[in-house]
Amino acid sequence: MKKYMLLFLLLASVGVFASSEQARKFVVTQFRAIVEPLFAEGEATQPKFDAFYAAMVAELPPQQRAERALELTINRFVGAADYVLENAQSWRGKIEANSRLETLTTVALNAPLIEIRMAGFELYLAQYDLEKSVEQVDYLLQQYKRRPEKNAAGSLWAMAAIAARGIDRERVFDVIIAATENNNAKIRRGAVEALARFGGEEIIEPLLYLARHDSSAYIQERAFCGLAQTGTLQVVERYAALPGLMAVLRDPYSTDQQQGWVYQALKEISNFYDVDEDPDQWEQRLLEVDMLVLE
């Protein structure tokens, strides 16, 4: 508040001292000294989800507890994601998917840090009362088979979220891969989103195939996004996609749109934003830092 009051006084002073060049320069110098720090990039703190916050959250009713814990996770309180991972299943049947929790979950699922995305998965499962079990996968699979086109998005996504937590991965993977080959684009849309959430290096080749060959531009784009920055792939796992992405750049049959998606994926995986859109330059840069391994 003191800074803003001083800023006001300095602005008023410009008019008073306008006839004095020396005074004007003094006012401008002081003005910059106050204003520039207000617009400078700040350094983020690393707050801890310590005993104080744990006690505060524990006192809340389950719905507010889940929302507050996920909010602190999104705000990068160290330890908050672990708290959600450890407690989310105990909130099943006690919380509901209201607008606030759904919004927080969506933000978490699209966060840049994988631990925040995994906390989002846990809250997604909890708010829809989905158990991390083989029996739950059985139910979701039957739901999907009953009406594939209608239930693909929800059922496949939920199965993938459970599998991402280490439950029944082999069976869920087979179901999702079969769905990526379905003639119905609506089912394939559900499958590509589920595949990105499934995680693990085994999803890289299927995503690359969809990115290069699917007839839907939307599905191609979502496959590139799955390789670049969404889903549950660790950064080092994304490096395994680099040879395939470079192959798309070298492919004379790839479209301009696909090339554009590849360059964006390369930037997001490598964090190199100063390389021109040229395959040779990208290959050289990635080789220099040992991100790219050519066969």
Side-chain angles (χ1 to χ4, degrees):
M1 180 60 72
K2 289 181 179 179
K3 280 189 175 181
Y4 290 106
M5 182 59 71
L6 183 55
L7 177 60
F8 172 78
L9 293 174
L10 285 170
L11 287 171
S13 299
V14 174
V16 175
F17 295 108
S19 60
S20 171
E21 181 65 18
Q22 183 178 3
R24 190 191 68 78
K25 288 182 178 178
F26 171 79
V27 171
V28 170
T29 300
Q30 295 302 310
F31 172 76
R32 287 176 177 166
I34 293 172
V35 172
E36 287 180 0
L38 299 179
F39 294 93
E41 291 187 6
E43 294 184 3
T45 61
Q46 282 291 99
K48 305 286 185 182
F49 187 82
D50 55 15
F52 172 83
Y53 285 101
M56 178 186 69
V57 169
E59 291 177 355
L60 298 172
Q63 184 75 33
Q64 287 74 33
R65 189 183 312 159
E67 293 169 4
R68 183 61 174 146
L70 188 55
E71 183 179 42
L72 292 170
T73 299
I74 293 168
N75 286 327
R76 301 191 181 188
F77 276 63
V78 177
D82 293 334
Y83 179 87
V84 172
L85 297 179
E86 292 167 6
N87 292 281
Q89 280 290 293
S90 69
W91 300 332
R92 286 177 49 238
K94 302 175 184 177
I95 63 175
E96 60 181 18
N98 62 18
S99 59
R100 174 169 168 74
L101 186 54
E102 286 184 338
T103 299
L104 287 169
T105 302
T106 299
V107 172
L109 291 172
N110 291 283
L113 297 180
I114 192 169
E115 59 266 30
I116 299 178
R117 293 201 295 274
M118 296 309 288
F121 284 0
E122 291 290 344
L123 259 299
Y124 173 89
L125 296 173
Q127 66 189 283
Y128 290 104
D129 198 16
L130 296 172
E131 183 183 25
K132 293 186 295 184
S133 68
V134 174
E135 291 74 20
Q136 187 69 72
V137 173
D138 289 337
Y139 173 80
L140 291 166
L141 183 55
Q142 290 305 312
Q143 185 183 59
Y144 166 63
K145 288 180 176 180
R146 188 162 53 248
R147 300 184 69 180
E149 183 175 354
K150 177 178 174 58
N151 296 328
S155 298
L156 292 175
W157 202 102
M159 281 191 283
I162 294 171
R165 307 308 295 152
I167 309 297
D168 211 358
R169 282 185 64 82
E170 185 173 346
R171 179 166 60 140
V172 172
F173 183 72
D174 290 343
V175 171
I176 295 173
I177 291 299
T180 66
E181 300 168 353
N182 197 287
N183 291 329
N184 189 308
K186 202 168 183 179
I187 293 174
R188 296 202 311 279
R189 284 189 180 193
V192 72
E193 299 291 354
L195 198 58
R197 266 57 187 180
F198 183 88
E201 287 197 24
E202 60 264 47
I203 74 172
I204 291 174
E205 287 304 319
L207 284 176
L208 282 169
Y209 184 86
L210 290 170
R212 296 184 74 171
H213 302 295
D214 198 275
S215 58
S216 164
Y218 174 86
I219 293 172
Q220 289 181 19
E221 180 186 16
R222 296 309 299 160
F224 280 116
C225 286
L227 293 167
Q229 46 85 17
T230 65
T232 56
L233 283 172
Q234 299 281 358
V235 173
V236 69
E237 291 176 321
R238 297 184 196 279
Y239 295 166
L242 293 174
L245 292 172
M246 292 302 303
V248 178
L249 290 183
R250 302 287 190 188
D251 185 352
Y253 296 102
S254 65
T255 66
D256 290 342
Q257 181 65 81
Q258 287 175 321
Q259 297 256 325
W261 285 328
V262 170
Y263 283 122
Q264 186 61 33
L266 292 174
K267 292 173 185 177
E268 293 178 358
I269 293 172
S270 67
N271 204 32
F272 297 148
Y273 287 83
D274 59 344
V275 183
D276 292 336
E277 293 190 351
D278 175 79
D280 292 334
Q281 289 190 38
W282 269 103
E283 183 173 295
Q284 180 180 352
R285 184 69 174 273
L286 294 173
L287 287 171
E288 286 174 353
V289 295
D290 294 325
M291 283 188 186
L292 179 64
V293 178
L294 299 178
E295 296 180 355

